[in-house]
């Protein structure tokens, strides 16, 4: 890699030190110095190391040479604002903003309620995404782009059993859809090596990636026992599907999302095996080997184990991917995929159901009700179908969600959420349970325990103290959005119609405020204003037209252009009305 600096001075001179081969530059008598840095590597793709970083750096510097600092800064600010200013948020409590952030964090440790710090943290997360994941670049890694080491912790890599996925939880809802594209580019680059891995390791079709990857397309098992988990491909595939749900771009669905999803589903169809007689899942299709990242359990003989078959999280991801593939086939009208669709439907019928522990009432993480080695484990993959997935909701599966709640309560009672990213997942889970105060309390703990004074997320690293890990930032940002707006609940089988729920988990501490510019699935931009913890008015702008479903049991009125819009109540808790592309709709209490 190469880093070059172009230095220009006004009212003075710059002299490189020739004895140090230009590594030191002395500036004398200058009124102003402008330093422009360019950076490049030899990487051009997973199989292409032909880039000339010297030439690339020179070209970058040449493209801006002659432009003043004011011109460069103005162009940067204008471009940044085009993304950043799409969303505005006010949660009140601005008196606290007069103090430095480190003092505000200390106040939270002592039981304070700094709602303005939550708003700052939310917008800071959006800033981090804008800065670290842009179309045409690599996606943000475990430290985003802010790594100071030649040999960084965990290689500053792409870890795929939660971490990179959490990095992109805020992308769509926080109106930064373009920032999501870099992840899809990485996925495209993984198809070729992942296809080889699926064939060589499993004699399977499709493509498979394991625990971690890098810019060179690493897709095989790695990093000890945790690496024997080929479900990362499946988890990744909910992201292009989500991108479609938020934007309704059928071309993207046909040309990018569905091919990625189909490849992952074809691998699973070959990877799944029928559980033998005498097992709890006899006759059902299960993953094997399987694990629940990165958790372990105690076998009946007292031994500790990681590997099993048919772990609950695997089943959830499989069911979700197969369902979404069928939805995509139907949406696109792909008659040529009829045989593949039939394969998926038959496999779905043979997937095992989820099991609730008779002893604890919790959702079982494994097919057997094993004793946990670490009851407060940081990963909660067996809650995947509830969040970040959407196949299970409180209304669709009350008994399962009750068991999930007991699981979450048990995790937290046993020191769960003890990393920044894990605590931010807890925030999102409580928001999905519509427990605003619990989500807020855990968010405050995220700030108080797992956040540096510069608002970077910190990760405990044993005797070595704490290190920066960015997924907690992105997860926390998504958690705030999840408290204010949810649109994951399905209405129909194809998953294309969702209920938009306004202020579903509003904490009592957020007594008044507003948020503008959030995005909802179905192609809607949403502004919400509230006072005394009650909705005042919501403004919804339809991007693509079509029906809009709002979750509400209150008596409301819908207006557009100053005129009332007729709607029908489709349930005790939801109304539906038709929208036109580009039109604005106001929803307020009657």
């Amino acid at each position: 890699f190469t880093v070059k600096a172009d230095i220009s001075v006004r009212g003075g001179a710059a002299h490189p030190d020739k004895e140090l081969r230009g590594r030191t530059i002395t500036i004398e008598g200058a009124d102003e110095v402008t330093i422009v840095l360019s950076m490049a590597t030899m990487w051009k793709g997973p199989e292409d190391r032909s880039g000339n970083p010297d030439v690339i750096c020179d070209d970058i510097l040449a493209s801006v040479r002659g432009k003043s600092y004011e011109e460069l800064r103005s162009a940067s600010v204008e471009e940044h604002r085009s993304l950043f200013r799409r969303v505005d948020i006010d949660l009140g409590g601005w008196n606290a903003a007069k103090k430095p952030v480190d003092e505000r964090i200390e106040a939270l440790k002592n039981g304070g309620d700094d709602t303005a710090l939550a708003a700052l943290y939310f917008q800071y997360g959006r800033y981090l995404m804008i800065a670290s994941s842009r179309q045409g670049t690599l996606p943000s890694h475990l430290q985003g782009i802010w790594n100071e080491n030649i040999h960084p912790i965990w290689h500053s890599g792409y870890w795929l059993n939660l971490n990179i996925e959490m990095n992109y939880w805020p992308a769509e809802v926080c109106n930064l859809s373009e920032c999501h594209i870099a992840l899809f580019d990485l996925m495209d680059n993984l198809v070729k090596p992942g296809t080889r891995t699926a064939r060589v390791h499993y004699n399977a079709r499709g493509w498979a990636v394991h625990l971690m990857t890098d810019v060179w397309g690493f897709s095989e098992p790695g990093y000890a026992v945790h690496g024997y988990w080929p479900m990362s491909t499946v988890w990744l595939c909910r992201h292009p599907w989500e991108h479609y749900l938020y934007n309704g771009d059928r071309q993207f669905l046909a040309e990018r999302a569905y091919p990625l999803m189909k490849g992952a589903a074809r691998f699973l169809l070959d990877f799944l095996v029928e559980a033998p007689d005498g097992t709890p899942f006899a006759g059902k299709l299960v993953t094997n080997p399987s694990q629940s990242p990165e958790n372990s359990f105690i076998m009946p003989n007292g031994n500790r184990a990681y590997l099993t078959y048919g772990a609950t999280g695997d089943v959830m991801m499989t069911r979700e991917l197969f369902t979404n593939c069928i939805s995509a086939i139907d949406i696109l009208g792909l008659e040529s995929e009829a045989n593949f669709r039939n394969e998926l439907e038959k496999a779905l019928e043979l997937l095992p159901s989820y099991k609730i522990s008779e002893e604890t009432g919790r959702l079982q993480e494994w097919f057997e009700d094993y004793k946990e080695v670490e009851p407060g484990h940081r990963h909660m993959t067996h809650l995947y179908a509830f969040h970040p997935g959407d196949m299970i909701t409180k209304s669709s599966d009350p008994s399962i969600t009750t068991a999930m709640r007991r699981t979450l309560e048990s995790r937290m009672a046993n020191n769960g959420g003890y990393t920044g990213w894990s605590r931010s997942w807890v925030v999102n889970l409580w928001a999905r349970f519509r427990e605003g105060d619990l989500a807020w309390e855990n968010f405050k703990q995220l700030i108080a325990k797992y956040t540096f004074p510069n608002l970077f997320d910190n990760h405990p690293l044993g005797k070595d103290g704490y290190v920066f890990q960015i997924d907690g930032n992105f997860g926390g940002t998504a958690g705030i959005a999840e408290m204010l707006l949810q649109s994951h609940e399905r209405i129909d089988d194809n998953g294309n119609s969702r209920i938009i729920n306004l202020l579903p988990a509003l904490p009592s501490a957020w007594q008044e405020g507003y948020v503008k510019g959030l995005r909802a699935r179905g192609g809607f931009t949403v502004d919400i204003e509230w006072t005394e913890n009650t909705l005042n008015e919501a403004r919804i702008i339809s991007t693509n037209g079509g029906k809009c479903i709002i979750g509400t049991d209150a008596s409301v009125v819908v207006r557009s252009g100053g005129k009332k819009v007729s709607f029908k109540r489709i349930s005790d808790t939801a109304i539906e009305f038709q929208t036109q592309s580009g039109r604005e709709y106001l929803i307020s209490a009657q």
Side-chain angles (χ1 to χ4, degrees):
F1 63 88
T2 297
V3 181
K4 289 191 176 184
D6 197 8
I7 299 175
S8 60
V9 299
R10 180 168 60 83
H15 306 288
D17 188 327
K18 294 181 180 180
E19 292 183 2
L20 293 175
R21 292 182 295 172
R23 293 177 182 170
T24 298
I25 295 176
T26 302
I27 299 167
E28 296 178 324
D31 298 314
E32 179 181 285
V33 182
T34 300
I35 305 172
V36 180
L37 292 175
S38 64
M39 293 170 277
T41 74
M42 64 196 298
W43 187 88
K44 295 181 71 174
E47 298 178 335
D48 188 349
R49 308 184 186 200
S50 65
N52 187 326
D54 286 332
V55 172
I56 296 171
C57 284
D58 288 340
D59 289 344
I60 293 172
L61 293 176
S63 70
V64 298
R65 192 167 289 129
K67 295 181 180 180
S68 67
Y69 169 78
E70 288 76 15
E71 289 175 309
L72 293 172
R73 186 179 189 279
S74 177
S76 175
V77 168
E78 181 180 358
E79 197 277 339
H80 181 270
R81 284 178 175 173
S82 69
L83 295 172
F84 188 80
R85 289 194 170 182
R86 292 175 182 176
V87 176
D88 187 17
I89 187 170
D90 188 339
L91 300 177
W94 288 106
N95 284 335
K98 299 174 183 177
K99 297 180 179 180
V101 170
D102 58 343
E103 293 183 16
R104 298 168 73 180
I105 292 176
E106 285 299 317
L108 279 182
K109 292 179 180 179
N110 295 321
D113 262 332
D114 193 339
T115 56
L117 185 56
L120 175 64
Y121 188 96
F122 172 84
Q123 290 289 45
Y124 183 62
R126 295 184 66 249
Y127 159 77
L128 293 176
M129 177 162 285
I130 293 169
S132 65
S133 182
R134 302 299 287 276
Q135 194 165 353
T137 72
L138 292 165
S140 61
H141 53 64
L142 209 57
Q143 281 74 37
I145 54 174
W146 292 273
N147 162 55
E148 63 182 348
N149 301 304
I150 298 297
H151 299 289
I153 185 73
W154 300 302
H155 325 298
S156 271
Y158 299 115
W159 295 76
L160 309 176
N161 65 356
L162 170 78
N163 309 93
I164 193 173
E165 292 89 350
M166 183 178 282
N167 279 11
Y168 288 91
W169 286 358
E172 301 296 338
V173 67
C174 291
N175 214 332
L176 296 174
S177 187
E178 300 94 325
C179 297
H180 218 164
I181 301 298
L183 178 62
F184 310 145
D185 293 340
L186 178 73
M187 293 173 66
D188 286 340
N189 286 338
L190 288 171
V191 170
K192 183 176 179 180
T195 299
R196 179 183 181 278
T197 295
R199 183 181 69 253
V200 170
H201 285 269
Y202 305 100
N203 193 30
R205 301 169 295 170
W207 64 293
V209 181
H210 291 78
L211 171 65
M212 58 185 177
T213 190
D214 56 22
V215 299
W216 309 109
F218 182 80
S219 58
E220 290 147 339
Y223 205 73
V225 68
H226 300 323
Y228 291 92
W229 191 71
M231 300 297 292
S232 296
T233 322
V234 184
W235 195 330
L236 283 170
C237 279
R238 76 165 285 103
H239 284 264
W241 173 247
E242 284 279 276
H243 184 76
Y244 164 73
L245 288 180
Y246 275 92
N247 297 287
D249 186 342
R250 291 171 62 92
Q251 182 177 355
F252 172 84
L253 178 63
E255 296 178 0
R256 298 201 68 180
Y258 178 65
L260 289 168
M261 294 161 60
K262 180 181 179 180
R266 290 179 73 183
F267 166 75
L268 274 180
L269 287 170
D270 291 348
F271 179 60
L272 293 169
V273 296
E274 185 176 313
D277 292 340
T279 63
F281 290 158
K284 298 294 185 179
L285 292 178
V286 294
T287 52
N288 182 42
S290 173
Q291 61 177 291
S292 189
E294 297 163 3
N295 207 357
S296 60
F297 53 91
I298 299 174
M299 297 281 285
N301 61 8
N303 291 336
R304 178 177 179 175
Y306 287 92
L307 295 179
T308 181
Y309 70 88
T312 300
D314 285 7
V315 177
M316 289 175 168
M317 293 178 198
T318 301
R319 181 170 281 117
E320 177 186 78
L321 178 62
F322 287 179
T323 301
N324 291 344
C325 281
I326 291 172
S327 296
I329 291 169
D330 293 345
I331 291 166
L332 296 171
L334 300 177
E335 296 181 4
S336 61
E337 298 290 80
N339 290 336
F340 179 59
R341 190 185 190 285
N342 288 335
E343 279 190 84
L344 296 171
E345 285 190 327
K346 290 179 181 178
L348 277 171
E349 293 174 359
L350 291 173
L351 292 179
S353 57
Y354 309 125
K355 301 182 72 174
I356 298 173
S357 168
E358 294 182 2
E359 180 180 347
T360 66
R362 302 196 298 263
L363 183 70
Q364 290 183 194
E365 192 162 358
W366 300 278
F367 63 91
E368 295 279 8
D369 195 8
Y370 292 123
K371 183 179 179 181
E372 299 164 292
V373 174
E374 185 188 353
H377 195 266
R378 59 195 176 276
H379 282 265
M380 295 165 281
T381 310
H382 56 313
L383 304 185
Y384 173 93
F386 186 66
H387 184 280
D390 54 36
M391 295 293 291
I392 293 176
T393 65
K394 289 183 68 175
S395 58
S396 68
D397 295 274
S399 62
I400 294 294
T401 52
T402 297
M404 286 179 164
R405 182 187 178 110
R406 288 174 179 164
T407 297
L408 181 57
E409 289 171 340
S410 175
R411 278 285 207 267
M412 300 312 294
N414 288 281
N415 195 37
Y418 57 83
T419 70
W421 60 261
S422 183
R423 186 62 63 121
S424 70
W425 195 356
V426 172
V427 173
N428 282 272
L429 285 165
W430 281 127
R432 280 281 168 99
F433 279 115
R434 301 196 180 185
E435 295 281 3
D437 286 342
L438 285 172
W440 174 232
E441 286 303 316
N442 279 277
F443 180 84
K444 289 192 294 183
Q445 290 299 308
L446 171 66
I447 299 294
K449 293 182 178 179
Y450 308 109
T451 301
F452 290 117
N454 69 345
L455 292 185
F456 271 165
D457 175 80
N458 71 45
H459 183 90
L461 201 64
K463 64 180 181 179
D464 296 322
Y466 294 86
V467 296
F468 165 51
Q469 193 170 305
I470 203 170
D471 42 14
N473 285 103
F474 290 132
T477 297
I480 292 174
E482 197 76 22
M483 291 184 237
L484 298 173
L485 178 69
Q486 294 178 17
S487 59
H488 62 281
E489 198 168 352
R490 297 167 182 251
I491 286 293
D492 50 28
D493 291 337
N494 70 17
N496 203 30
S497 296
R498 309 291 176 119
I499 299 176
I500 299 175
N501 284 299
L502 309 169
L503 307 179
L506 186 69
S508 56
W510 300 4
Q511 294 184 13
E512 59 183 13
Y514 65 78
V515 64
K516 299 178 181 179
L518 294 182
R519 294 282 292 170
R521 295 169 182 86
F524 300 100
T525 303
V526 182
D527 301 348
I528 311 171
E529 181 182 335
W530 67 93
T531 55
E532 297 181 352
N533 295 103
T534 303
L535 175 71
N536 281 348
E537 186 175 78
R539 183 181 72 155
I540 296 179
I541 300 175
S542 175
T543 305
N544 306 318
K547 64 182 179 182
C548 178
I549 302 170
I550 302 295
T552 179
D553 56 4
S555 179
V556 298
V557 60
V558 181
R559 293 185 175 88
S560 182
K563 299 180 179 179
K564 284 189 175 182
V565 175
S566 61
F567 62 83
K568 64 178 180 180
R569 183 163 287 282
I570 59 174
S571 72
D572 292 339
T573 58
I575 63 170
E576 175 185 307
F577 57 93
Q578 287 296 124
T579 69
Q580 296 180 26
S581 177
R583 291 287 297 272
E584 178 182 300
Y585 298 84
L586 296 178
I587 300 169
S588 55
Q590 194 166 21

